[in-house]
Amino acid sequence: MTASRSDALVLFGVTGDLAHKKIFPALYAMVKRNALNVPVIGVARANWDLARLHKRVTDSIARSGGIDDPRALHRLLSLLKYVSGDYEDPNTFTAIKSALDNARRPAYYLAIPPSLFETVIKGLGTAKLAEHARVIVEKPFGRDLASARGLNRVARAVFPDDSIFRIDHYLGKEAIMNILYFRFANSFLEPIWNRNFIASVQISLSEDFGVADRAAFYETAGCLRDVIQNHMFQIVALLAMEPPAGRDFGAVHREKAKVLEAIRPLKRDDLVRGQYAGYRKEKDVAKNSDVETFCALRLFIDSWRWAGVPWYLRSGKYLAETATEVLVELKPPPQRLFADSAPTLGRPNYLRFRLSPGAAVALAARVKLTGKEFVGEQRELYLFEERPGEESPYERLLGDAMIGDGALFSREDAVEAAWAVIQSLRNTTAFAPTGAVVGGRKRLMRSSLQTAVGITPDPIGIRMMSLCRP
C-alpha cells in the first residue's frame, strides 16, 4: 500500500443512478469533515454542462438527508468538472487528461455498467492515464468465473495489484466491520466458534421492494449474482475465517479467500430459486424471464473448524420486510436438566448480528422465571447498538481508496473463489426454475424451503415469519 493520497477523483457514470443515490451524498459528507479537497471530474456520455451537473448534485444531497451545511455544498460544487464523451472514443480520454490539469495521482471510479469496465480500463491505459493512479471498480466484478478472470487480467495489465480496488459497499458498513472485530477481540468466543458447539449459521437479506428501475441490470444478474455471490459470501468469509497471522489487511484477505476456496461444490438440492409475481411485467424484463428474485442456498465449508455445519443463505425482493441478519445457532446442552429447555420447546441459544435496519449484536440465553419451579424463558442481551453519526459505506470506502487503504475491498483470489462456487451450480441442472410462481408480490414459490434446503420457517426469530410460506 502506497502512502500517497489521490490528488483527483474521476467519476465515470456521473449522471447515473448510483452517483445520484450514493456517491454524491458521500462526497458531500467527506467535504463536510474536510476529507475531500481535490478536483472531482465527472465523466458521462450525456451532453450536459457544468450547471446541469451542479443541479443534479444539489438534488441528490437534498433528497438523501437535506442540505445542512450550505458552505460545504458550495465547496463540493466548486470542485466539480465535467467531461462528456463516449467511453470508446480516445478523444474522451484526451479531454479527461486536460481536465486533470496538474493532478498526477488520480483515482478513477467506474460507477458504470459492468460491460464497460474493460473498455474504460483499456482506454485509461492507452491514454497513459494509469501511471501512479488507482482504479475503483463497482460490483459485480465479472458475471461468472471466466469473465472475472478476464477482467482481472485486463485490470492488472494497466494497474498494479495494490492500485485496484474492487468495491462492495457492504464491506464498508459499520455492522459488517464489527463482525470481524467482535470475533477476534473477545476471548470467550473462540472456544465455541466451531462445529462442536454451533448447529448452523443462517444469513438473511430481505427487501420489501422490487427491482424498480434496475430491471435491465437485474435481468443480467439475478439474486444469486447481485447479492449472494458478493454481499453474502463476504459475510460468510468474515464469520468463518481463521484468525489472521498478522494485523495487516493482507493477512485478513488471505484467510477470507481460504474460506471461499473451502466451500464444497453446490448441488441441485442446495438451491431454491423464486420469482415474485409480476416481475415479468416490469419494464425491461423479458416476458418469459426465469431470472430469480429470490434465492435460498445451503452450503458447507470443508475445513477442520466447520466440517458438517450447514450454512443457510437467503435473499429476495418483495418479501415481508427489509432486514439483514445473521443468526449463529448453538447446539443444545448435552443433558436436559430442565424440561422447558428442550430443543423441541424453543430455539437453542444463539448469537445474532443484526446488520439492518439498525445494527446490533445480541446474545440469546435462557433465564429462570420467578418462582419455585425451574422454568424460564429465553431473552436477548444486547451487546452493541448502532450509533448516530457513523460514516456511510461509500464515504468510508471512497476515502480509503483515495489513500490507498485496501483493507475493506475484495481481493482477486476471493472474487474468483466466490465465482467458482457459483460456477459449480451452473455446471448442474440447478439453474432450472424450481416450482412455480404463486400468489401476490409478497409470496414465493410453493417449494418448501425446509424440504428443499433445510431452512426452518422462521430462521432468525424476528420479523420475517412469512418469508418461507407459500
Side-chain angles (χ1 to χ4, degrees):
M1 181 181 70
T2 61
S4 60
R5 180 184 293 270
S6 296
D7 56 3
L9 175 64
V10 180
L11 176 55
F12 288 88
V14 71
T15 61
D17 189 58
L18 177 61
H20 186 264
K21 289 183 176 178
K22 300 293 184 181
I23 301 173
F24 295 151
L27 297 178
Y28 173 61
M30 292 170 70
V31 170
K32 285 201 296 183
R33 59 183 180 85
N34 297 315
L36 181 69
N37 57 4
V38 300
V40 178
I41 302 165
V43 185
R45 289 173 172 171
N47 188 24
W48 285 15
D49 57 18
L50 195 55
R52 186 167 180 182
L53 179 59
H54 283 186
K55 184 177 179 180
R56 176 79 165 171
V57 171
T58 303
D59 177 74
S60 164
I61 295 167
R63 289 172 179 265
S64 69
I67 301 169
D68 56 356
D69 189 338
R71 290 185 178 180
L73 175 61
H74 176 74
R75 290 200 304 274
L76 174 59
L77 297 179
S78 71
L79 297 173
L80 295 176
K81 299 180 181 181
Y82 185 68
V83 172
S84 173
D86 191 288
Y87 300 141
E88 296 181 353
D89 185 352
N91 292 324
T92 301
F93 295 91
T94 301
I96 293 171
K97 182 181 291 188
S98 177
L100 283 169
D101 196 14
N102 294 322
R104 294 294 178 266
R105 300 181 306 279
Y108 302 106
Y109 185 3
L110 310 189
I112 53 179
S115 59
L116 295 173
F117 289 164
E118 289 192 15
T119 299
V120 171
I121 292 173
K122 288 178 178 178
L124 292 170
T126 301
K128 309 297 183 185
L129 289 171
E131 187 176 0
H132 306 304
R134 300 183 175 108
V135 63
I136 308 166
V137 185
E138 263 290 342
K139 66 104 178 165
F141 197 87
R143 59 171 284 105
D144 54 24
L145 180 58
S147 61
R149 285 173 172 168
L151 183 53
N152 276 323
R153 284 194 297 270
V154 169
R156 289 199 313 270
V158 177
F159 295 91
D161 284 345
D162 62 359
S163 294
I164 303 170
F165 294 81
R166 302 164 186 86
I167 193 169
D168 182 344
H169 73 275
Y170 251 62
L171 294 180
K173 289 178 174 286
E174 187 69 34
I176 299 294
M177 296 171 65
N178 196 50
I179 291 177
L180 181 66
Y181 184 86
F182 187 82
R183 270 208 61 194
F184 297 116
N186 296 298
S187 60
F188 73 86
L189 201 60
E190 178 61 22
I192 65 169
W193 205 253
N194 55 61
R195 67 190 188 282
N196 296 321
F197 294 91
I198 292 178
S200 68
V201 182
Q202 304 176 31
I203 307 172
S204 297
L205 193 164
S206 73
E207 297 171 328
D208 64 1
F209 50 85
V211 294
D213 54 1
R214 298 178 69 237
F217 162 74
Y218 216 79
E219 276 288 276
T220 69
C223 180
L224 192 63
R225 289 191 184 96
D226 183 45
V227 176
I228 290 180
Q229 182 273 337
N230 39 71
H231 296 337
M232 301 189 85
F233 276 9
Q234 291 293 335
I235 297 173
V236 169
L238 288 171
L239 290 165
M241 63 181 280
E242 294 297 320
R247 296 173 62 182
D248 61 296
F249 67 80
V252 174
H253 286 322
R254 283 191 291 274
E255 294 303 331
K256 288 171 62 179
K258 288 178 183 177
V259 170
L260 298 174
E261 291 165 355
I263 294 177
R264 186 184 305 171
L266 300 173
K267 300 178 181 178
R268 178 184 177 85
D269 291 342
D270 294 324
L271 175 72
V272 171
R273 301 169 66 227
Q275 187 184 92
Y276 66 77
Y279 173 73
R280 294 176 182 177
K281 297 180 181 178
E282 301 277 11
K283 182 183 177 183
D284 298 323
V285 171
K287 295 186 183 299
N288 62 344
S289 174
D290 71 342
V291 170
E292 75 283 352
T293 65
F294 172 87
C295 191
L297 195 67
R298 176 184 58 197
L299 58 84
F300 293 90
I301 300 170
D302 288 334
S303 69
W304 183 272
R305 183 184 295 267
W306 297 110
V309 177
W311 292 67
Y312 301 118
L313 283 59
R314 64 178 182 176
S315 180
K317 293 186 177 294
Y318 268 129
L319 299 179
E321 211 161 319
T322 296
T324 304
E325 290 209 350
V326 175
L327 186 127
V328 181
E329 190 168 274
L330 302 177
K331 292 181 177 180
Q335 185 176 5
R336 297 202 306 268
L337 295 179
F338 312 108
D340 74 323
S341 62
T344 56
L345 298 178
R347 181 178 301 284
N349 304 141
Y350 60 84
L351 185 67
R352 180 159 66 93
F353 296 91
R354 190 177 70 211
L355 309 180
S356 67
V361 177
L363 176 66
R366 296 192 66 82
V367 293
K368 180 182 173 298
L369 296 175
T370 303
K372 292 179 62 177
E373 300 297 324
F374 281 92
V375 295
E377 63 181 359
Q378 187 147 266
R379 296 179 181 176
E380 284 192 348
L381 171 65
Y382 273 75
L383 306 175
F384 166 80
E385 291 188 348
E386 192 170 25
R387 301 172 183 87
E390 295 172 353
E391 288 180 291
S392 70
Y394 277 96
E395 179 186 354
R396 175 178 284 130
L397 293 173
L398 276 173
D400 283 358
M402 292 184 71
I403 63 173
D405 185 347
L408 301 179
F409 295 84
S410 298
R411 205 171 67 171
E412 175 184 352
D413 53 357
V415 169
E416 293 186 4
W419 277 122
V421 177
I422 302 303
Q423 190 70 29
S424 70
L425 268 178
R426 298 194 67 83
N427 291 337
T428 71
T429 59
F431 243 64
T434 306
V437 179
V438 299
R441 284 191 162 186
K442 292 189 178 179
R443 306 180 74 184
L444 298 174
M445 304 177 340
R446 291 193 182 276
S447 301
S448 163
L449 296 188
Q450 188 164 4
T451 300
V453 292
I455 299 180
T456 54
D458 177 25
I460 55 177
I462 55 163
R463 300 164 296 277
M464 292 186 268
M465 292 281 290
S466 62
L467 259 65
C468 303
R469 296 178 179 174

